[in-house]
Amino acid sequence: MTTTDIAAPAATTPTRRVGPAQLALRQGRLEIRQFLRSRESVVFTMGFPVIMILIFAAIFDGEIAPGVDYTQYFITGMIATGLMTVSFQNLGIWIPVERDRGLLKRLRGTPMPKWVYFAGKVIMVVVIGAAETALLLAVSVGLFDLSLPGSAARWLTFGWVSVLGVTACTLCGIAISSLARTARSGSAVVTPVALVLQFISGVFFVFTDLPAWMQQVAAFFPLKWMCQGLRSVFLPETFGGQEPGGSFELGRVAFVLAAWCVIGLVLCLLTFRWTTKRDG
């Protein structure tokens, strides 16, 4: 028997180790594709704020204050509610669906680190939220002559208010997803909460026109402070005197939104479930 008759050992392909950042990006791309495949989610999440600003612009004609028309005021609420929809409402509805289908149970049984699942959700929220906000601003500028922030300081405020607000809403959306017992009950649990917050937080009405008790209730939740922070970006500084606190209170806006980030994180750690109750 010659050496050629001896089978050569099979060549082994070295396994390329995937880093944490790559894992998160892959999961993020997967989450974005899944979101875009759901026509209902795309239409509601991306289209709702645009439709609402079109309606408000058609109904309310004139100025809410000298030099401030209604579109300039209501754009702040539409941006805030759009960010809340893609984070709080979207996650609160879809995570129960994935849990009910057993997807979360299967993910927990794989070698994939658990944090990658949440990183994918965060990436999806950031990408879709940014696209939604850009679309809303483009429509408002093109059709209603919306005045964009004219200074770097205002754009910076726009950035940190949006980041803190999205973070708080994302964490709260993950937390509230555990209240839904089945896939079908997710919408019933989350949608009423989101609608009530929109009505009492200055999204559909001028905030100071609401009853005092309603303003006080809204002050406990992040959406009101997101709207108030964004008003400081799109409205003149003099408009701050018409706020309940006599100014835009950006320090308090940052504090409350940061506090809700902490509260949301604690609620996630205490309440999040990978399986349904029937799975044990």
Side-chain angles (χ1 to χ4, degrees):
M1 182 173 59
T2 64
T3 54
T4 55
D5 296 326
I6 303 176
T12 58
T13 303
T15 303
R16 187 165 61 91
R17 190 177 184 84
V18 179
Q22 289 177 303
L23 284 174
L25 290 175
R26 288 181 180 180
Q27 186 67 22
R29 288 195 295 268
L30 175 62
E31 294 289 347
I32 293 171
R33 286 199 298 268
Q34 290 178 337
F35 175 86
L36 295 177
R37 287 171 182 169
S38 174
R39 295 181 181 178
E40 296 83 359
S41 296
V42 173
V43 171
F44 179 77
T45 304
M46 303 291 287
F48 178 74
V50 174
I51 293 172
M52 292 306 298
I53 200 66
L54 291 173
I55 292 174
F56 277 111
I59 295 177
F60 298 100
D61 185 20
E63 295 184 339
I64 191 174
V68 181
D69 59 29
Y70 278 95
T71 302
Q72 196 74 28
Y73 183 92
F74 283 119
I75 190 66
T76 60
M78 292 301 106
I79 293 173
T81 197
L83 295 176
M84 186 187 74
T85 299
V86 73
S87 54
F88 175 79
Q89 196 165 351
N90 183 61
L91 297 181
I93 292 174
W94 279 103
I95 290 178
V97 173
E98 294 174 346
R99 182 185 295 116
D100 201 49
R101 293 175 177 174
L103 176 62
L104 299 189
K105 183 178 180 180
R106 292 194 296 271
L107 284 176
R108 193 173 68 165
T110 66
M112 185 183 78
K114 296 178 182 178
W115 65 265
V116 173
Y117 170 76
F118 299 105
K121 295 292 186 186
V122 171
I123 291 173
M124 182 274 294
V125 167
V126 171
V127 171
I128 301 301
E132 175 189 56
T133 302
L135 175 62
L136 181 59
L137 291 177
V139 170
S140 300
V141 170
L143 298 182
F144 309 115
D145 297 323
L146 175 75
S147 298
L148 295 176
S151 67
R154 291 202 170 202
W155 280 112
L156 180 61
T157 300
F158 179 85
W160 68 255
V161 170
S162 299
V163 169
L164 284 178
V166 164
T167 302
C169 290
T170 297
L171 292 169
C172 290
I174 294 172
I176 201 173
S177 69
S178 296
L179 293 180
R181 295 184 177 182
T182 64
R184 294 182 179 180
S185 61
S187 180
V189 170
V190 178
T191 302
V193 175
L195 285 176
V196 170
L197 289 177
Q198 289 169 17
F199 274 102
I200 69 175
S201 298
V203 173
F204 302 133
F205 305 98
V206 176
F207 186 72
T208 50
D209 289 346
L210 298 172
W213 68 267
M214 198 174 291
Q215 296 180 31
Q216 294 169 0
V217 172
F220 283 102
F221 301 99
L223 184 59
K224 181 264 185 189
W225 299 100
M226 292 171 65
C227 293
Q228 184 167 313
L230 291 174
R231 285 198 291 271
S232 75
V233 174
F234 288 90
L235 302 182
E237 292 184 10
T238 55
F239 194 88
Q242 301 189 34
E243 296 289 342
S247 70
F248 289 119
E249 300 179 289
L250 290 181
R252 181 172 291 184
V253 170
F255 174 80
V256 174
L257 292 180
W260 268 104
C261 290
V262 176
I263 293 171
L265 178 60
V266 172
L267 290 175
C268 287
L269 295 174
L270 293 177
T271 64
F272 187 79
R273 295 181 290 107
W274 292 88
T275 60
T276 61
K277 292 184 177 180
R278 66 174 179 268
D279 293 328

